[in-house]
Each structure stands twice: as C-alpha cells, then as structure tokens.
C-alpha cells in the first residue's frame, strides 16, 4: 500500500502540474506521467495500484469523523458543551469542511478509472466495478450531509469547473446507476466464510447492500426491499455469535462484515499509509486520569462518549448485562467488575484504586463509558508501541449485516409490505443481542433497535434528521458539560457535576439538517447555492 500510495500521489501531482498552464499541454514533460497514456497502457498491476489508492483514501476518512464527531452530535453522547453553537456557527470552521473535498477527490479518482482504464482483462473489469462502487459510496455521503451538492459524473474540462447544485433526483440516480454498473462487474464470495479469500475488497453483494440502503434513504422502499433482500437471500452473510467480538480481531473477515478495510498484520506496517490502524488509539477514552481495564492506555480525544440517556435507554430495554450491552456501554460497576474478572484487582475497592489515576475525575462523562471499539492490549502491534505510534491488527468494517437486516425491516415497516419477513430480520438482530423476538413491530421498534445495535457507528445523528426526530431529540445537545468523580463518599451514587455551557444552542431547525458548503468552495464556485441557515 505504501508503494501504491506514493505512485499515485506522484501521478496526480504531475497531472495537476500539467494542468496549470494550457501552453504546456502539448509538450511532453520530463518525469511527469501523461494521464491518457498512463491509463491506456496500464497493466493489471497498475490497475490494482490505482484502486488500492482509492481504498486507502476511503479508509483514511472513515473513522474519527463518523464515530467521534457524529456521535457527539447525536443524543447518545455527553459531548463537549456547545457542540452546535461552537462548531456549526459558520461555514468557515465546520468540521465537515475537509471531508467535502475528500469525497469529491474520491469521485474524481474513480471517474479517471472508469473513463480512461481499458477494460481488457478480468482484473481491470473488477477494478472498474470497484471504482463505480466507491464513487456511489462517496456521493451517498455527500447527499446525506450536504443535500444537493453539484453532480460531477465525469472528469471535468477547464470550462466546467463551476457547476450548479444538482437536484436530489439526479444525485440519487447517479448513485443507483453507479451501483448497478458495479454489481455487474464485482466478484462474489463463495459462501459463508468466503471473504478471507477475497480480502478487504467489496463484492457484488456489497453493491446490493449499498444500493438498498441508498434506495431506502431516497424513500424508494419497494426497490430497497428487493436489493437488501438479495443480500439476505444470498446465504453469504450472517451475524457473528458474540456481539462483543465486533471491532476486534475475532471479527476480521467474519460473515457479518459486508465489506471491511483490511489492515496489514505485518509488524513493520506504517500507520501513516493506512496499513496499520491508528483509529482505535483515538477511540480509547481520555486516559489522563483513568485506566482502561484490559485496553490500551494511550490518551484518547474525548471523555467516555456515552451519556446517561443512552444508558437508561439500554437498561429500560432489558439489555443490562447482555452481550450487546456489554459490547457497547459499561457503567462504573461494570468497569470495576472487569478489573476483578481480568485479575487486575482483588476486589471492588482495589479496582477503584486501579481505575483512577492521580486526579479522580473524567471530563465529558456522566459515569457511563463506551466499550465498543476499544482496542485491547493484545491487539496492538508491540513494535508500534515501542516506536511511539501504536496501531492495531484489527480490520475496520464498512457495513455490517445487522445493518442490512435493520434497513430491510425499516423498508418493510415504511411501505407496509413484507411485514413478516421484516419482523424476521428484526428479530434476528434482537435474538443475537439476547432479547426475545417480537410478535409484531412498528417503525419505532426499528428506530430503537437501530439505536441499540449501531450505537457509536455514525448512523444515529443522520437517522434522527431523516426521520424528522432531530428537533426534539437534539434540542438540548451540548447545553451542559459534565464531569464524573466516581461514587459519592460511602455510597454507590454517582458523583457528577454539570455546568451550563454559556451561549450554547441545541439543534437549530432549518439549519442543522444539512452541513454548510465550505466557505472556500463558495468563493471558488459562484454558482453554488449555500444551504439554509448558513
């Protein structure tokens, strides 16, 4: 991957250089790759290098933004006070700005492959199919976050650099037709257990899964049912037995991962080249004052990432102590018990002394701690710790089969069709979580199941907006800050302080449904219309 990334970076840099001066286009530049000739004469190995770079780019922007930022904007996280008033006040400092360009860059690189790579071998046909998949993936993100961004369906010429906003219909059509092209070219698993042979690459049913999701987001429930049903009926996917194994090495290439990014297990891999996974280091808690039982101790970027509202929601559902609960959230007692169970402490009092460091406090925390996505010590490459750049062996899922099942159940509920099949899909997820199956279900049941199943995976905030629930559920997001101090002396009551965040405003209806277009883009493209409220 490191070699491939260097090759493509030099290629793109050279191409950008030749574009700077029209008079130079007819002159063969020394040490600069010619765009058309490179793609036209590409070998199978060259094609693999081109798509490897796109995988690296998609992997690179999937993680902190989705997990930390989007979770902080949802109703599952205590967040930092002022999440809506401080981050989202203008289009110049919004966290999503950098990703707007990233998604368009992925689309551009995919269009280069689609337009210029000769499909004269099976390898190149597959690479072209993967390019169709990833440009659809990029545009699904663009539509969900920005609404009606410009549609760039080909490599632009110099007189096409200021496109207008596209219509929603045009954008979803681009996603759907791209995925149909991908499905016609992509390989497929041989069956259950077949992903290992393919590695971390998308498959035909990865395409069906993303297509069905896109159609549900669009409101085309009938086609969503058909295409999500293709994944379910393929027999190639299933839920892993123990929810707690997700986001750990035990789930690598499991039948639950509809697609995943494979990290290099080589101890000499470079985290900067995305061959090792650094994101798990960022997803630990802020360990300045606490110790993660059985986990790495590098300091994370936030508090504990789960609020009392989410914890109470899980307990009210009867999930306390069950696999999905334990694989998602711990309360203080769960943490202390884990110290004892792992042999790291002899009893509760000893566990308390082991958990807290010099300052017994945790900022942005109400006494509830995310257990999902924590990296365990035995999953971290030992040499990387010695080098001061720790990363793990663990793969990162792009989509899980449980999400396919819940999307299918929602499409059935929204359309009022295939209800028995939708209930079967919903109950499969519930049963794995340790809950009994439902005899009937409503859309609210799907909403609740999805909140529990996909917590901290970047879907909750976007779902609340899509369902129209955000103005109520997010009205008070970020208006207070919290600090957890453990137990109140001689009791098991939680000692939590809360402070109002001055000037904070929660979710603003009419503004926060969409991200703003970056100010830099507005300056460059006078035809681009800004989203409402920005």
């Amino acid at each position: 991957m490191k070699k491939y990334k260097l090759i493509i970076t030099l290629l793109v840099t050279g191409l950008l250089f030749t574009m700077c001066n029209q008079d130079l286009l007819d002159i063969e530049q020394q040490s600069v790759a010619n765009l058309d000739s490179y793609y036209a004469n590409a070998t199978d190995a060259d094609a693999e290098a081109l798509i490897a770079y796109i995988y690296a780019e998609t992997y690179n922007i999937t993680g902190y933004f989705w997990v930390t930022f989007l979770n902080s904007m949802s109703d599952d996280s205590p967040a930092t006070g002022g999440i809506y008033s401080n981050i989202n006040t203008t289009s110049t400092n919004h966290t999503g700005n950098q990703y707007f360009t990233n998604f368009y860059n992925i689309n551009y690189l995919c269009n280069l492959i689609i337009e210029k790579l000769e499909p004269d071998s099976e390898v190149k046909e597959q690479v072209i199919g993967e390019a169709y998949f990833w440009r659809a993936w990029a545009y699904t993100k663009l539509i969900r976050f920005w609404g009606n961004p410009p549609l760039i369906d080909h490599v632009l010429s110099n007189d096409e650099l200021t496109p207008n906003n596209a219509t929603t219909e045009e954008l979803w059509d681009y996603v759907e037709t791209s995925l149909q092209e991908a499905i016609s070219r992509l390989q497929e698993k041989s069956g259950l257990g077949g992903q290992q042979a393919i590695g971390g690459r998308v498959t035909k049913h990865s395409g069906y899964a993303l297509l069905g999701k896109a159609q549900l987001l669009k409101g085309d429930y009938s086609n969503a049912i058909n295409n999500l049903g293709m994944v379910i009926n393929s027999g190639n996917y299933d839920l892993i037995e123990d929810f707690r194994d997700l986001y750990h090495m035990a789930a690598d290439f499991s039948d639950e991962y509809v697609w995943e990014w494979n990290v290099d297990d080589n101890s000499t891999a470079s985290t900067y080249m995305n061959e090792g996974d650094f994101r798990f280091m960022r997803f630990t808690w802020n360990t300045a004052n606490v110790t993660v039982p059985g986990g790495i101790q590098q300091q994370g970027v936030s508090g504990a990432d789960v609020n009392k509202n989410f914890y109470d929601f899980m307990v009210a559902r009867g999930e306390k102590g069950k696999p999905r609960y334990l694989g998602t959230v711990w309360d203080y007692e769960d943490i202390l018990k884990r110290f004892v169970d792992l042999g790291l402490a002899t009893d509760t009092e000893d566990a308390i002394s082991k958990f807290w460091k010099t300052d017994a406090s945790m900022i942005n925390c109400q006494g509830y701690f995310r257990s999902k996505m924590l990296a365990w010590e035995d999953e971290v490459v030992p040499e990387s710790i010695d080098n001061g750049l720790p990363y793990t062996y663990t793969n990162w899922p792009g989509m899980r089969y449980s999400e396919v099942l819940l999307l299918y159940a929602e499409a059935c509920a929204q359309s009022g069709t295939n209800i028995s099949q939708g209930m079967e899909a919903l109950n499969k997820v519930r049963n794995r979580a340790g809950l009994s199956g439902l005899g009937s279900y409503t859309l609210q049941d799907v909403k609740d199941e999805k909140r529990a199943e996909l917590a901290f995976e970047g879907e909750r905030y976007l779902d609340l907006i899509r369902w129209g629930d955000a103005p109520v559920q997010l009205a008070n997001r970020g208006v207070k800050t919290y600090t957890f101090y453990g137990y109140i002396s001689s009791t098991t009551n939680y000692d939590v302080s809360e402070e109002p965040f001055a000037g904070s405003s929660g979710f603003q209806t009419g503004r926060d449904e969409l991200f703003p277009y970056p100010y830099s883009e507005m300056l460059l493209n006078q035809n681009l219309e800004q989203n409402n409220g920005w």
Side-chain angles (χ1 to χ4, degrees):
M1 185 72 73
K2 183 175 182 180
K3 176 179 71 175
Y4 289 165
K5 188 161 187 175
L6 178 61
I7 290 172
I8 307 304
T9 300
L10 292 173
L11 174 63
V12 173
T13 302
L15 296 173
L16 290 175
F17 175 79
T18 63
M19 291 168 60
C20 292
N21 189 327
Q22 188 68 32
D23 293 337
L24 298 179
L25 292 178
D26 295 329
I27 302 174
E28 190 70 24
Q29 298 293 308
Q30 295 287 333
S31 301
V32 174
N34 177 274
L35 182 69
D36 292 324
S37 64
Y38 181 86
Y39 280 82
N41 297 305
T43 64
D44 285 353
D46 293 332
E48 296 276 15
L50 289 167
I51 201 65
Y53 182 73
I54 292 173
Y55 273 89
E57 290 297 285
T58 58
Y59 179 82
N60 188 47
I61 63 175
T62 302
Y64 174 69
F65 174 56
W66 262 253
V67 177
T68 304
F69 175 61
L70 290 180
N71 189 64
S72 70
M73 297 181 75
S74 81
D75 56 347
D76 291 343
S77 168
T80 300
I83 187 69
Y84 283 101
S85 57
N86 281 6
I87 293 180
N88 291 6
T89 50
T90 71
S91 61
T92 61
N93 71 344
H94 193 279
T95 302
N97 285 358
Q98 60 183 303
Y99 298 99
F100 184 82
T101 302
N102 291 146
F103 291 132
Y104 273 107
N105 184 54
I106 290 167
N107 182 68
Y108 166 70
L109 294 172
C110 290
N111 282 337
L112 281 175
I113 290 175
I114 292 166
E115 293 180 25
K116 299 182 181 297
L117 188 66
E118 292 294 331
D120 53 12
S121 70
E122 290 185 6
V123 168
K124 292 178 188 175
E125 278 283 3
Q126 178 179 320
V127 165
I128 292 170
E130 290 170 297
Y132 274 114
F133 176 92
W134 287 116
R135 80 175 191 180
W137 176 88
Y139 256 93
T140 300
K141 305 298 185 186
L142 285 165
I143 298 167
R144 296 188 81 184
F145 293 119
W146 285 277
N148 62 336
L151 174 58
I152 311 300
D153 59 0
H154 62 282
V155 178
L156 299 180
S157 61
N158 288 342
D159 58 354
E160 296 179 296
L161 299 181
T162 57
N164 295 309
N165 301 72
T167 67
T168 303
E169 182 178 1
E170 290 170 334
L171 292 165
W172 282 124
D173 182 65
Y174 181 64
V175 169
E176 290 190 45
T177 56
S178 295
L179 287 169
Q180 288 160 356
E181 293 287 349
I183 289 167
S184 70
R185 293 171 172 83
L186 291 174
Q187 60 188 328
E188 190 46 272
K189 290 170 58 176
S190 59
L192 292 174
Q195 190 66 46
Q196 182 78 52
I198 297 174
R201 303 183 77 162
V202 294
T203 65
K204 190 179 297 291
H205 283 98
S206 304
Y208 280 120
L210 185 57
L211 177 58
K213 180 174 182 175
Q215 289 165 333
L216 181 138
L217 297 175
K218 175 186 174 183
D220 182 1
Y221 303 122
S222 177
N223 280 318
I225 289 171
N226 290 336
N227 286 303
L228 294 167
M230 293 289 289
V231 184
I232 296 170
N233 296 327
S234 71
N236 289 347
Y237 300 90
D238 202 357
L239 303 180
I240 64 174
E241 182 176 352
D242 193 334
F243 185 94
R244 291 167 291 186
D245 286 338
L246 293 168
Y247 289 93
H248 293 289
M249 287 176 63
D252 287 0
F253 298 122
S254 68
D255 292 318
E256 179 148 356
Y257 289 175
V258 181
W259 76 83
E260 65 200 278
W261 286 275
N262 181 30
V263 301
D264 194 335
D265 291 345
N266 187 336
S267 63
T268 62
S270 167
T271 183
Y272 290 127
M273 291 298 159
N274 299 311
E275 295 174 86
D277 197 345
F278 184 69
R279 75 194 65 215
F280 283 97
M281 310 303 115
R282 296 178 65 92
F283 294 157
T284 189
W285 314 326
N286 187 324
T287 56
N289 299 327
V290 302
T291 298
V292 182
I296 60 169
Q297 307 308 321
Q298 279 69 24
Q299 185 169 333
V301 296
S302 56
D305 306 308
V306 176
N307 64 19
K308 188 176 186 299
N309 178 283
F310 178 76
Y311 172 81
D312 289 344
F313 162 78
M314 293 291 280
V315 171
R317 288 169 53 79
E319 302 218 23
K320 172 75 172 173
K322 291 184 169 65
R324 182 163 66 184
Y325 165 91
L326 292 171
T328 304
V329 56
W330 293 333
D331 61 18
Y332 191 33
E333 289 75 24
D334 294 321
I335 291 173
L336 300 179
K337 183 177 185 300
R338 181 170 169 80
F339 271 100
V340 175
D341 290 346
L342 291 175
L344 302 173
T346 56
D347 54 30
T348 298
E349 289 301 317
D350 188 31
I352 290 174
S353 68
K354 296 291 196 304
F355 177 61
W356 295 107
K357 296 181 180 177
T358 54
D359 182 3
S361 66
M362 168 71 93
I363 61 171
N364 301 325
C365 180
Q366 294 175 281
Y368 307 99
F369 297 75
R370 171 182 50 80
S371 55
K372 183 183 281 188
M373 300 175 186
L374 290 180
W376 307 136
E377 287 180 314
D378 59 3
E379 296 174 322
V380 180
V381 179
E383 293 85 351
S384 71
I385 297 176
D386 297 337
N387 293 334
L389 294 170
Y391 55 87
T392 76
Y393 295 113
T394 310
N395 289 359
W396 186 266
M399 189 176 189
R400 296 198 286 115
Y401 183 57
S402 62
E403 183 180 1
V404 172
L405 293 170
L406 293 175
L407 291 169
Y408 183 85
E410 179 182 346
C412 295
Q414 293 275 22
S415 65
T417 62
N418 297 71
I419 296 300
S420 61
Q421 294 94 327
M423 186 167 64
E424 182 180 352
L426 179 67
N427 283 337
K428 188 174 180 67
V429 177
R430 287 178 59 86
N431 293 158
R432 194 266 297 269
L435 302 177
S436 60
L438 299 176
S440 63
Y441 80 102
T442 66
L443 178 59
Q444 187 60 51
D445 291 319
V446 178
K447 291 180 180 182
D448 290 345
E449 203 63 39
K450 198 172 184 187
R451 183 184 187 187
E453 177 70 21
L454 299 180
F456 211 72
E457 296 184 34
E459 290 294 316
R460 176 65 176 172
Y461 170 71
L462 294 168
D463 279 343
L464 289 174
I465 292 174
R466 177 169 64 88
W467 293 325
D469 297 337
V472 173
Q473 295 295 114
L474 304 179
N476 296 316
R477 289 299 298 124
V479 299
K480 294 181 180 180
T481 59
Y482 301 92
T483 303
F484 176 63
Y485 300 95
Y487 290 135
I488 296 174
S489 180
S490 301
T491 75
T492 55
N493 297 319
Y494 284 8
D495 187 359
V496 181
S497 68
E498 63 178 57
E499 298 290 338
F501 194 91
S504 176
S505 61
F507 183 91
Q508 298 296 294
T509 304
R511 182 195 72 174
D512 290 327
E513 290 85 356
L514 294 171
F515 287 177
Y517 293 108
Y519 180 66
S520 58
E521 297 293 332
M522 298 298 296
L523 289 179
L524 291 170
N525 183 3
Q526 300 300 312
N527 292 323
L528 183 62
E529 285 187 34
Q530 184 58 279
N531 284 322
N532 290 336
W534 300 101

